Amino acid sequence: MIKRSGKCRPLCAVLAALILLISICCAGCGQKDVPVQEEDLIRVGFSQVGSESDWRMANTASMISALSEENGFELIFDNAKQRQENQLLAIRNFIQQDVDYIVLAPIAESGWDDVLQEAKDAGIPVIIVDRQIAVGDESLYTSWVGSNFLEEGQRAIRWLEGTVQQQGRLNQPLRILHIMGTDGATAQIQRTKALNDAARTHPGWKIVSRLKGEYTEAKAYELVRDFLQTGEEIDVIYSENDNMTFGAIRALEEAGIRCGTDGDVMIISFDAVRDALKLCLEGKISVCVECNPLHGPRVASLIRQLEAGETPAKLTYVDETFFSPGVLSEELISGREY
Ligand code: AHR
């Protein structure tokens, strides 16, 4: 049986095809089917950010389901619990285990050059998923697939501009509370950039405070609760993910503040997970900007392309949309995968 490695994939693919052909012929000659051997599986080490959000859980489920044994993969999954040092350790372990591919969902953009150079020296292709990385040498990774986080932010801003324009207050003061995701993550950097750009072009828009919610409900709840105790008033919350939004809504409601476009505070939220869409349908969240977590089949397809000796696109952005209460229904929400 052939031991797969990252260095002889096209040859392995040809040999594997020949073996498959021979086994089919043998079956035709009255011999029993040959079961898929463990050695035939493509070994993938996946370093996941953590389990900080509903989005992340949906992403993990998608990866595990696509990179299953049934689909020809052996997945070695590592949950970094939101710590980059855990991701560095996981990647070094994958290199030690001589996996065929490393898949990295990076917590932040920087800090990857050394460890990815080690992966490259070991001949292991690296696929980046979800957030991006900033490396000096782009050949340190093979391919990236994920969201256009800047476009997501701009989509939210276009919605806000359209809404305040309809309310006849486009050029009036707007007090915005910004709840930020993990520092240095592409999702944080780009969604923040969209808001900052908008604040520059609308002199009346004031970012009254920036809270570092780390993409978790618990952290955002505490920060928003403490912020509200200062007595500072706000018109809009720009929350960089749904779980932080859930925490913010809890804090607002405890303080007797009404959420919604017709309430006291409009909430802009990113991800569009099912529970957020339900709150949007209720009118508590004014707009949910979609961030699609279903990257498992996309990563599997990139690996298949590499196995076939093809060169996949360096960057692949997924299609996304946004939802406001008017377009939502129970049926639409229950029909979605996450
Ligand atoms: O990188 C994607 C972001 O990470 C999602 O918006 C957030 O929910 C997740 O934790």
Side-chain angles (χ1 to χ4, degrees):
M1 199 54 64
I2 303 150
K3 165 89 175 69
R4 303 190 74 92
S5 93
K7 299 126 209 156
C8 65
R9 245 169 306 280
L11 181 61
C12 292
V14 172
L15 285 174
L18 274 174
I19 289 166
L20 186 68
L21 196 64
I22 290 165
S23 62
I24 290 167
C25 291
C26 287
C29 300
Q31 293 195 6
K32 289 206 167 120
D33 286 350
V34 180
V36 177
Q37 299 295 303
E38 222 174 75
E39 291 87 346
D40 292 331
L41 298 172
I42 303 168
R43 296 179 72 227
V44 179
F46 173 41
S47 170
Q48 174 62 291
V49 168
S51 36
E52 73 282 3
S53 63
D54 290 14
W55 186 99
R56 187 66 54 194
M57 305 304 276
N59 176 248
T60 295
S62 170
M63 296 290 286
I64 289 175
S65 137
L67 300 176
S68 65
E69 286 199 9
E70 245 173 25
N71 291 342
F73 298 96
E74 179 191 335
L75 177 63
I76 308 166
F77 177 84
D78 187 272
N79 180 334
K81 303 193 170 107
Q82 292 250 70
R83 299 178 78 94
Q84 187 165 24
E85 62 265 33
N86 290 342
Q87 295 208 285
L88 298 175
L89 197 64
I91 293 171
R92 292 197 165 105
N93 282 336
F94 297 152
I95 296 170
Q96 278 287 319
Q97 292 173 67
D98 194 25
V99 296
D100 297 320
Y101 295 89
I102 291 173
V103 179
L104 168 64
I107 182 160
E109 290 193 351
S110 57
W112 303 106
D113 295 77
D114 291 348
V115 76
L116 295 191
Q117 185 63 55
E118 290 166 34
K120 186 177 176 185
D121 294 344
I124 303 174
V126 174
I127 293 169
I128 309 293
V129 64
D130 171 26
R131 303 168 187 173
Q132 297 195 350
I133 56 170
V135 279
D137 173 3
E138 294 291 318
S139 77
L140 292 181
Y141 67 98
T142 304
S143 216
W144 166 85
V145 61
S147 300
N148 188 332
F149 298 107
L150 181 61
E151 174 59 29
E152 288 177 1
Q154 290 169 340
R155 196 166 278 143
I157 295 299
R158 283 195 295 274
W159 177 88
L160 183 59
E161 287 169 338
T163 301
V164 289
Q165 185 160 35
Q166 269 176 13
Q167 295 171 338
R169 52 175 182 148
L170 180 59
N171 299 315
Q172 288 176 19
L174 202 65
R175 297 160 298 186
I176 303 171
L177 174 63
H178 180 192
I179 311 178
M180 303 165 78
T182 305
D183 266 348
T186 315
Q188 178 273 313
I189 295 170
Q190 299 296 338
R191 290 169 185 165
T192 295
K193 177 175 165 30
L195 177 62
N196 290 348
D197 290 349
R200 268 193 298 276
T201 56
H202 297 282
W205 291 17
K206 184 180 168 216
I207 297 163
V208 295
S209 187
R210 295 190 201 268
L211 309 177
K212 297 190 172 191
E214 293 165 13
Y215 290 122
T216 71
E217 178 171 348
K219 186 80 184 170
Y221 166 73
E222 281 173 24
L223 293 172
V224 174
R225 181 196 58 196
D226 294 351
F227 168 81
L228 293 174
Q229 278 165 9
T230 66
E232 183 113 42
E233 292 194 354
I234 50 172
D235 305 300
V236 176
I237 289 185
Y238 183 92
S239 167
E240 289 182 2
N241 92 340
D242 286 339
N243 287 78
M244 296 194 297
T245 301
F246 302 151
I249 291 178
R250 187 147 58 95
L252 289 163
E253 290 185 338
E254 281 176 11
I257 296 169
R258 289 175 308 126
C259 311
T261 309
D262 301 325
D264 305 313
V265 174
M266 286 192 278
I267 301 182
I268 295 171
S269 190
F270 292 87
D271 286 355
V273 299
R274 193 172 282 129
D275 284 348
L277 291 174
K278 286 180 187 164
L279 288 170
C280 190
L281 183 60
E282 276 179 53
K284 289 187 181 180
I285 296 176
S286 294
V287 65
C288 281
V289 179
E290 185 187 39
C291 181
N292 189 315
L294 305 177
H295 296 318
R298 299 172 185 131
V299 169
S301 156
L302 288 171
I303 293 176
R304 292 275 176 229
Q305 288 174 56
L306 291 164
E307 288 286 300
E310 294 165 16
T311 306
K314 188 79 178 177
L315 305 177
T316 306
Y317 291 93
V318 302
D319 286 337
E320 293 171 336
T321 183
F322 71 98
F323 304 92
S324 52
V327 302
L328 284 171
S329 64
E330 296 277 5
E331 202 186 5
L332 187 153
I333 296 171
S334 58
R336 283 173 61 80
E337 277 186 65
Y338 55 94

